[in-house]
Amino acid sequence: MKKIEFITKIVEYVLLIIGAILVLAGFTNSAQDAIQDGSATDLAIMYTGSLLAIGFFGALIALAVELASDTKRLIKAAIFAVALLVVLVIFWNISDATPLPLIGYEGDQNQGAWLKLADTGIFCAYLALGGAVVSIIVTEIYQLFR
């Protein structure tokens, strides 16, 4: 377990440094030109996608290492993973792929799968927010009657 925590800290600091470099690069004169031609948006979208991929695969690796020793937890995790996959497929299918009218943006991410990916992420955020609100309400009601 200590090895996973160590690797997680290293990845966290590397991503923090990369994010800081991107933020500082946004204040240069050439960054202002990149904003005008849309390449800064392309960079931000690709960086976000890479963060999501790193987080997803990192979580899968940590999960596999942690659950390899406990079969009951592995079965519960597999059920949860299948349920999550079903929710993601549903969100992907209800997402809209209509291009957005962005003035001055000529990048490749304003079409098809990229728009569906963004909508899927937004729906997941709505689900997480709704789950948090319901959890708070249920906890408070439980505390009231306990």
Side-chain angles (χ1 to χ4, degrees):
M1 192 64 189
K2 294 286 185 186
K3 191 174 191 180
I4 292 175
E5 291 175 7
F6 179 71
I7 292 171
T8 304
K9 282 294 180 189
I10 290 174
V11 171
E12 177 184 349
Y13 288 126
V14 167
L15 292 177
L16 184 65
I17 290 168
I18 292 171
I21 290 170
L22 288 175
V23 167
L24 293 176
F27 293 112
T28 64
N29 288 335
S30 61
Q32 300 306 319
D33 296 335
I35 290 171
Q36 294 300 321
D37 70 5
S39 60
T41 307
D42 287 345
L43 177 64
I45 290 172
M46 296 303 278
Y47 179 64
T48 303
S50 65
L51 285 179
L52 289 172
I54 289 169
F56 178 75
F57 289 116
L60 284 180
I61 291 169
L63 181 67
V65 169
E66 183 69 26
L67 296 177
S69 62
D70 192 359
T71 310
K72 283 186 179 181
R73 286 180 58 196
L74 181 63
I75 292 171
K76 288 180 183 178
I79 292 170
F80 177 77
V82 168
L84 181 63
L85 185 63
V86 168
V87 168
L88 288 175
V89 167
I90 290 170
F91 285 166
W92 179 270
N93 286 325
I94 64 173
S95 297
D96 189 17
T98 304
L100 302 171
L102 301 173
I103 298 171
Y105 179 70
E106 302 295 328
D108 296 334
Q109 282 79 26
N110 191 16
Q111 58 189 342
W114 289 105
L115 295 172
K116 289 180 79 75
L117 179 66
D119 276 358
T120 302
I122 291 170
F123 291 146
C124 287
Y126 289 159
L127 180 66
L129 177 65
V133 170
V134 168
S135 172
I136 291 169
I137 292 170
V138 168
T139 301
E140 289 301 319
I141 292 172
Y142 176 77
Q143 293 289 333
L144 185 66
F145 291 112
R146 193 169 72 140

